[in-house]
Amino acid sequence: MTLTTTQSEDEWLWGWDPTPGIVSVWAETDGVATVWRRSAASGELVRESDRFRPWLLYDRLDDLEHLGARLAPEGTPGAPNAPNAHVTYRELAGPGALRYLLSANEWRTLTSALLQGASRRLGRQLGHVRDLPEETILALAPEEQYLVATGRTYFRDLTFDHLRRLQFDLETTGLDPERDRIFMVSVRDPNGVSSVLEVTGEGDAAEADLIRRLVAAVQAHDPDVIENHNLHGFDLPFLDRRARKLGVALTLGRTSARGLAQRGARRGAPSGRDDGRRVRFVAPGRELIDTLDAVRRHDFSSRDLPSYGLKAVARHFGISGPERELIPGAEIYTVYRTDPARVRRYATADVDEVAALSRMLGGAAFALARMAPRRYERLADAGAATGVIDPLLVRAYLRAGMALPAHEAGDGTVHSGAALHLFATGVAHRVVKADVASLYPSLMRAYRIGPKRDHLGALIALVDRLVETRLAAKASARAAPPGSAERYAHEAMSSAMKIVVNSAYGYLAAGGELTRFADVHAANEVTRRGRETLDLMCRALAERGVTLLEADTDGVYFAVPEEWTEANERRVVAEVGALLPPLVQLEFDGRYAAMLSHEPKNYALVEYGGTLILRGVAFRSSRAEPYGESFLRRAIRHLLAGDVIGVRDAYLETLDALRLRTLSTHDVSSRVRLTKTPAQYLAVRESRRELSYEAMLASGRTTWSVGDRVRIYRTKGGSGGVVPDPGDEHASGAGEDARAYDVEHYSRVLRDTFAARLARAFTPADFAAVFAHPDQLSLFMPSIAAIRPILTRQSPGAFGATDPAAAPLASQGREPHLP
DNA sequence: TCGTTCCGGGG
DNA sequence: GTGTACGGAACGA
């Protein structure tokens, strides 16, 4: 690789202009960009005005011929008579369709000239750039035009802690801004000091005054960034609506604009007009960051969050204090009227947690903003493929003077997916999981698989540099003191790189409508190599004497012989890893005492420490009755410990508990959601009875709302009952439990639904014996002690040493995310 | 029971 | 002038 290549690849990734400290950019179509920069040394903020030439890419020049002498190639000497009406062009190299870079002093000059010519050529009046056929033009938002053209990016020489961040959180009387009001706002200023603003009375004037005080607080603290959890989904739309209704100017930005601007966004709030469009709000000069986006993005790779709610996430990350005030949403206003101090504590905890959460997860978007030519707030909520990779590629092509290809629909080729093999079902012991981290981008690098139309080779080059940067960042993070700002920064960089690297494949597979360089053939080559790699892994493992259990996309579960130590396990993973292509690294991902393999992606694992892990719908469902779940967990523990008598006992004890009604009604109930109104149900009741509603009626509940969730159970008569909510003191009969549930029915459910999850662990005869009716106990009792759980090969010989070429019978291809 | 569509959050 | 994937839950024949 030559020095020049390396240099330009650096520029593709990072831009080239060294201007430090940019914390916000706002550009207008008149070619004026306002740039706010913060000094890393002094913390001082400066506001600068810069000029840029609005530009776009177009596939032809003849639409501008009508300009005559007012159209000129870039750099033509001799200014024309009317410089403001002067459009310049540059022809780019290479075969790409978008080969004319057009620019003018003002956006309107450029687009009106273009639309005039295109209207004449196409024979219809075009009023807006969006009316042009989309494959003929590339037009970016003004800030992005500015950043791409200048090679500037946000945050050079700054760390996350240099940012001045303010958090605020609204407390309202309800969720509907048409009807409900704001009565409190908690604010955490950039120095970390929290305060609470409250209404000083009721009615419009008091609420309007509260909003004015919030705006004044924002202006006074002058933050670079405003943050909250679900900021774009709740607080800003609510605030905007209330401010409009009350006639208050919502001047949250740094320019004199009166209200908030809007931008289209997939995950925004519905726009005021009922045209189905969704928008997010923009406050020029500040970046509006929603920690919900950071949470989603984090969970995208970690998938370990119980929910995306602020409280749950804060608890998960150990952010919330032990005394965290919690109030159910619907009760906040009621509580406020009797105990306002409690709501103040609650609201303050919210902004404190948001600040900490943002500190913890916001670094990834911060790191992306140092690379990609987009605003920080756009990179925080953008999808990685269209939101990060596309802008990087556009900037790379323009920097290289190359024409960009137009969006191109696929040729109808079906996208083929990853491999999924189920080798064995039943019980296995000494289980190991090995997998390849970032398999797809590794294959793209190893085999140089990139989009056909990427003649610059920019995507693979970016993936190479991103992976190198990520590895360096990971190493730096490990070297930095735990908890230090430096470590946070390196970890944030690493996770930002990971987001982009892992979406490089998604970019190929996304389909031509979505990404400029989409290439289904290249995507299929990646998955084909992936299947090939997985097969190679499986075959090589089988040859080394392990028993394959399940393999999926980039990882495999297998069982090792009894006498093996962990060192043996690790050695075999390393040996097999050495057979894989360079850059494809097989990792030892975990070891387990035992596994119950039920169906593809449905299994139970028990760790050596005893922790039980259940995966897949067969083992975890919120609708399952608690007694069944509890039986299943107990039975699987015994099963995986080799204790079949224990499985049998768990079954018999559960049956007894049902028969003797020692199980509460709650234990046998299941949670349902009511989707019909009382009137709707009564209308169809005679033709078709439904347990949920019969249970409501039988419990004397004749009114309910659509969407209500209740716990219901079945009674002997075929009707049912509702289990009173423990928090509902008004419910009749709360506290006493008649336990009038249908024992026969729940005994059947225990066998047919719950015990059935263990069917793979036994021969049919043994299964019948283990789960025989208690009356037949004596018949089977002697044999049960002798029963051993079994493991059944699903594909005899496949990947075995005897027949390495055979394909597994139970394998199936998947087709992920077809466009 | 199944395939298919929708949702994830905020007071 | 936008655009993730995924697992689970709700929905509709």
Side-chain angles (χ1 to χ4, degrees):
Chain A
M1 193 178 290
T2 67
L3 180 66
T4 336
T5 311
T6 307
Q7 218 165 28
S8 61
E9 288 179 6
D10 263 338
E11 293 178 346
W12 296 349
L13 194 54
W14 303 104
W16 50 91
D17 183 294
T19 303
I22 295 177
V23 290
S24 196
V25 173
W26 185 251
E28 301 276 354
T29 51
D30 61 1
V32 175
T34 310
V35 178
W36 287 267
R37 298 200 296 124
R38 195 171 283 288
S39 157
S42 67
E44 198 189 346
L45 182 77
V46 292
R47 172 182 176 150
E48 295 166 344
S49 203
D50 200 3
R51 287 214 59 89
F52 72 105
R53 247 178 113 69
W55 60 268
L56 55 79
L57 290 180
Y58 204 51
D59 70 340
R60 59 181 65 232
L61 212 47
D62 53 6
D63 282 350
L64 292 174
E65 272 167 5
H66 64 88
L67 288 173
R70 289 175 299 155
L71 174 69
E74 253 178 39
T76 306
N81 299 335
N84 287 340
H86 194 173
V87 174
T88 53
Y89 70 91
R90 175 151 68 101
E91 186 169 1
L92 302 168
L98 301 177
R99 53 189 315 97
Y100 295 100
L101 174 60
L102 309 176
S103 64
N105 280 350
E106 296 214 18
W107 182 247
R108 284 240 309 281
T109 311
L110 184 53
T111 53
S112 58
L114 210 56
L115 289 168
Q116 191 186 327
S119 298
R120 192 179 307 163
R121 175 171 55 88
L122 297 169
R124 60 192 159 95
Q125 198 52 42
L126 305 175
H128 198 276
V129 170
R130 66 169 164 258
D131 299 331
L132 291 162
E134 66 168 342
E135 68 278 7
T136 67
I137 184 167
L138 169 69
L140 301 179
E143 295 79 30
E144 294 169 19
Q145 293 178 35
Y146 174 74
L147 292 170
V148 167
T150 56
R152 293 184 163 192
T153 71
Y154 274 53
F155 305 146
R156 285 202 208 285
D157 303 346
L158 293 185
T159 68
F160 192 78
D161 289 322
H162 284 119
L163 283 182
R164 302 282 289 168
R165 302 184 290 127
L166 176 143
Q167 297 77 26
F168 79 81
D169 185 50
L170 305 184
E171 303 304 329
T172 67
T173 60
L175 292 170
D176 178 4
E178 299 300 330
R179 193 187 60 215
D180 301 310
R181 289 187 187 277
I182 306 166
F183 67 89
M184 180 188 283
V185 187
S186 56
V187 178
R188 189 180 194 273
D189 74 22
N191 299 315
V193 179
S194 306
S195 57
V196 174
L197 310 175
E198 286 173 59
V199 285
T200 52
E202 294 188 355
D204 286 356
E207 191 187 8
D209 177 63
L210 176 61
I211 295 175
R212 280 191 204 98
R213 280 183 282 145
L214 170 62
V215 171
V218 169
Q219 296 293 351
H221 293 300
D222 193 23
D224 305 322
V225 179
I226 295 175
E227 301 173 335
N228 195 21
H229 202 66
N230 205 17
L231 177 71
H232 286 286
F234 178 71
D235 297 81
L236 288 175
F238 200 103
L239 193 53
D240 178 72
R241 192 73 201 99
R242 296 309 297 166
R244 281 175 198 277
K245 269 190 183 298
L246 299 167
V248 178
L250 207 53
T251 316
L252 291 175
R254 276 172 167 153
T255 64
S256 53
R258 268 177 41 84
L260 296 170
Q262 298 186 354
R263 64 182 163 96
R266 188 62 161 177
R267 279 201 322 265
S271 79
R273 301 183 287 273
D274 56 352
D275 52 5
R277 248 164 39 94
R278 304 182 79 84
V279 295
R280 285 192 169 205
F281 289 101
V282 180
R286 300 190 214 281
E287 308 290 315
L288 303 178
I289 298 293
D290 193 334
T291 46
L292 178 58
D293 292 322
V295 163
R296 284 194 178 110
R297 191 179 264 170
H298 169 85
D299 198 52
F300 184 69
S301 55
S302 75
R303 291 210 267 106
D304 56 359
L305 293 177
S307 113
Y308 291 173
L310 176 62
K311 284 78 180 168
V313 173
R315 206 178 314 122
H316 178 263
F317 285 119
I319 287 169
S320 24
E323 313 268 278
R324 209 298 184 204
E325 191 71 63
L326 289 171
I327 308 173
E331 293 167 27
I332 287 173
Y333 187 54
T334 323
V335 171
Y336 177 69
R337 285 186 292 191
T338 55
D339 189 358
R342 204 179 143 206
V343 179
R344 288 179 204 124
R345 287 197 299 277
Y346 169 84
T348 303
D350 273 9
V351 285
D352 287 342
E353 286 180 358
V354 164
L357 185 59
S358 176
R359 181 71 192 76
M360 186 168 256
L361 300 181
F366 182 87
L368 289 178
R370 290 161 51 136
M371 304 188 319
R374 305 195 101 175
R375 299 188 64 204
Y376 172 44
E377 68 175 23
R378 282 290 292 110
L379 290 162
D381 77 320
T386 51
V388 183
I389 295 184
D390 240 4
L392 287 173
L393 291 173
V394 167
R395 184 178 64 189
Y397 268 71
L398 289 180
R399 184 62 171 168
M402 293 270 285
L404 276 151
H407 281 257
E408 212 169 87
D411 58 8
T413 303
V414 199
H415 178 41
S416 57
L420 175 61
H421 305 303
L422 184 63
F423 296 106
T425 56
V427 175
H429 298 275
R430 295 168 304 279
V431 173
V432 174
K433 166 89 188 293
D435 69 7
V436 176
S438 300
L439 174 66
Y440 286 175
S442 304
L443 292 169
M444 290 171 66
R445 298 183 70 206
Y447 296 104
R448 312 311 289 171
I449 306 167
K452 181 163 161 266
R453 286 174 293 153
D454 180 11
H455 298 280
L456 194 53
L459 183 63
I460 302 258
L462 282 172
V463 170
D464 279 336
R465 306 308 298 272
L466 287 162
V467 170
E468 288 159 13
T469 308
R470 171 163 149 79
L471 293 177
K474 274 178 98 167
S476 304
R478 271 194 299 272
S484 66
E486 198 192 342
R487 190 176 184 130
Y488 266 125
H490 290 305
E491 281 171 354
M493 175 62 73
S494 167
S495 73
M497 306 293 115
K498 182 177 175 183
I499 290 164
V500 184
V501 165
N502 286 341
S503 68
Y505 159 77
Y507 185 100
L508 291 180
E513 309 82 42
L514 264 55
T515 58
R516 188 164 297 279
F517 291 94
D519 183 343
V520 67
H521 298 284
N524 284 349
E525 178 62 6
V526 174
T527 49
R528 188 187 70 76
R529 291 286 191 184
R531 294 189 297 271
E532 188 180 88
T533 304
L534 192 71
D535 287 359
L536 172 62
M537 271 161 56
C538 291
R539 194 169 290 125
L541 283 166
E543 284 166 5
R544 283 160 178 78
V546 312
T547 305
L548 297 172
L549 301 170
E550 177 170 331
D552 180 5
T553 313
D554 53 8
V556 53
Y557 285 99
F558 57 91
V560 305
E562 202 166 346
E563 64 278 8
W564 283 25
T565 62
E566 182 176 347
N568 294 129
E569 295 168 6
R570 289 185 180 274
R571 186 173 333 114
V572 118
V573 171
E575 273 178 33
V576 171
L579 303 173
L580 303 183
L583 303 176
V584 176
Q585 291 181 349
L586 187 63
E587 292 174 358
F588 188 95
D589 191 49
R591 56 197 301 270
Y592 307 90
M595 176 174 185
L596 167 63
S597 167
H598 179 65
E599 279 171 16
K601 296 179 168 219
N602 280 270
Y603 51 83
L605 294 161
V606 64
E607 294 178 345
Y608 285 99
T611 307
L612 184 67
I613 299 165
L614 300 176
R615 289 272 158 75
V617 280
F619 294 113
R620 40 191 308 180
S621 159
S622 73
R623 268 192 312 200
E625 297 85 349
Y627 84 103
E629 291 257 277
S630 143
F631 156 76
L632 197 56
R633 297 187 73 90
R634 243 184 100 193
I636 291 175
R637 278 187 179 284
H638 287 299
L639 176 73
L640 294 183
D643 177 10
V644 177
I645 303 273
V647 175
R648 169 78 181 157
D649 287 347
Y651 181 67
L652 293 181
E653 281 164 26
T654 308
L655 281 181
D656 271 350
L658 282 170
R659 197 162 41 80
L660 301 172
R661 300 185 193 276
T662 54
L663 286 171
S664 70
T665 304
H666 178 270
D667 287 332
V668 298
S669 68
S670 61
R671 219 166 75 112
V672 297
R673 191 163 164 262
L674 303 174
T675 56
K676 295 187 173 86
T677 63
Q680 284 170 334
Y681 180 64
L682 290 177
V684 298
R685 187 180 179 202
E686 287 317 309
S687 58
R688 185 181 164 144
R689 304 223 156 187
E690 293 179 48
L691 180 62
S692 308
Y693 303 98
E694 291 303 312
M696 290 293 283
L697 296 174
S699 298
R701 307 259 294 258
T702 51
T703 59
W704 62 82
S705 315
V706 169
D708 283 0
R709 282 166 219 270
V710 288
R711 298 204 70 98
I712 58 141
Y713 65 98
R714 186 184 292 264
T715 57
K716 184 93 193 175
S719 73
V722 176
V723 183
D725 183 346
D728 187 359
E729 295 143 28
H730 313 293
S732 64
E736 52 196 81
D737 183 353
R739 305 195 173 180
Y741 49 79
D742 183 346
V743 170
E744 293 297 307
H745 168 75
Y746 289 109
S747 301
R748 263 197 314 276
V749 169
L750 181 68
R751 192 189 60 233
D752 298 343
T753 302
F754 294 103
R757 309 288 192 227
L758 280 66
R760 306 278 196 272
F762 302 103
T763 64
D766 285 350
F767 182 83
V770 174
F771 297 107
H773 193 274
D775 297 347
Q776 301 169 288
L777 185 64
S778 54
L779 221 63
F780 290 102
M781 198 52 194
S783 60
I784 286 174
I787 291 175
R788 294 285 170 270
I790 57 163
L791 184 69
T792 310
R793 299 264 151 81
Q794 296 299 299
S795 49
F799 293 110
T802 50
D803 185 10
L809 295 172
S811 66
Q812 41 185 280
R814 271 183 303 155
E815 298 190 5
H817 56 261
L818 275 171

